[in-house]
Amino acid sequence: TAYCTACDTGSVASADKTVCEICPPGTSAEFGATNCTVCEDGYVSSEEGTAYCEICGAGYYSIANRTECVACPQNTFSIGGTSSCTDCAFGEVSDPGSISCGFCDPGEVASGDTTAVCTPCGAQTAAEYAATTCKPCEDGSVSNLGSSACTPCTSGSIPSSNGTVCLPCEAGTSAEFGAIVCSVCDDGYIAPARGTSFCSICGAGSY
């Protein structure tokens, strides 16, 4: 032949310069390139004969052979253009294909590993936003499943056995603020009604 022919984009000349060879998936070649170039980390080409590699978007990463962008697994994230996803920090979680991680809702916590899920705090415990553990309620306080804070019982009442509600003390007993049991009135003292915070002394001439 009287002249040489340039190969199209996505192909390069063979070693003996007799034919144009199409670049395989995972590589690319611009016009005039002498070699098929492997896509960089975070870039892919899913088909043969590609002129340039395309970036993987946020929440995705490029697999080893650079032929496909795959969604980041649960509890990992990426901002795009990467060959791997970053693990969420301890106490944070994410759905597959996420661009960031986040804390559980108030009243829930996560362990922070790759299989973590947000789990409601049990009764008589609570967790504020961004907490990594459910903290036990203080004496005399109660909470239900998935609570963000414990609620103190008022004077004259104490937590139920399961710690979810405040129960008034029976007549003849009393409880100060923060008490966990109702105390029987001492001799010479009475609590005539339920929910009494302190026992009253009997007046002169009575018992």
Side-chain angles (χ1 to χ4, degrees):
T1 183
Y3 59 90
C4 297
T5 302
C7 293
D8 293 333
T9 56
S11 62
V12 296
S14 61
D16 59 8
K17 304 296 192 295
T18 58
V19 295
C20 292
E21 296 178 336
I22 298 176
C23 293
T27 67
S28 67
E30 297 180 351
F31 183 78
T34 57
N35 293 289
C36 297
T37 303
V38 176
C39 297
E40 297 179 4
D41 289 352
Y43 289 75
V44 300
S45 63
S46 58
E47 299 178 354
E48 63 181 15
T50 299
Y52 58 89
C53 301
E54 296 182 345
I55 190 172
C56 292
Y60 289 79
Y61 70 99
S62 60
I63 61 176
N65 63 9
R66 305 295 190 267
T67 60
E68 184 181 4
C69 294
V70 178
C72 290
Q74 179 183 356
N75 295 332
T76 66
F77 73 98
S78 88
I79 58 173
T82 180
S83 61
S84 62
C85 301
T86 303
D87 289 340
C88 293
F90 181 80
E92 295 186 350
V93 294
S94 72
D95 294 324
S98 292
I99 63 174
S100 64
C101 300
F103 290 105
C104 297
D105 291 333
E108 298 179 338
V109 295
S111 62
D113 59 31
T114 55
T115 59
V117 294
C118 292
T119 304
C121 292
Q124 220 166 12
T125 67
E128 298 178 345
Y129 178 73
T132 56
T133 58
C134 297
K135 293 184 178 180
C137 295
E138 294 182 356
D139 289 348
S141 297
V142 297
S143 74
N144 288 303
L145 183 71
S147 294
S148 59
C150 299
T151 302
C153 293
T154 57
S155 299
S157 63
I158 60 171
S160 61
S161 59
N162 62 6
T164 60
V165 294
C166 296
L167 300 175
C169 292
E170 296 296 330
T173 67
S174 66
E176 296 180 348
F177 183 81
I180 58 175
V181 294
C182 296
S183 301
V184 176
C185 296
D186 292 334
D187 291 347
Y189 288 76
I190 62 169
R194 300 180 69 206
T196 300
S197 58
F198 60 91
C199 298
S200 301
I201 191 171
C202 293
S206 62
Y207 65 94

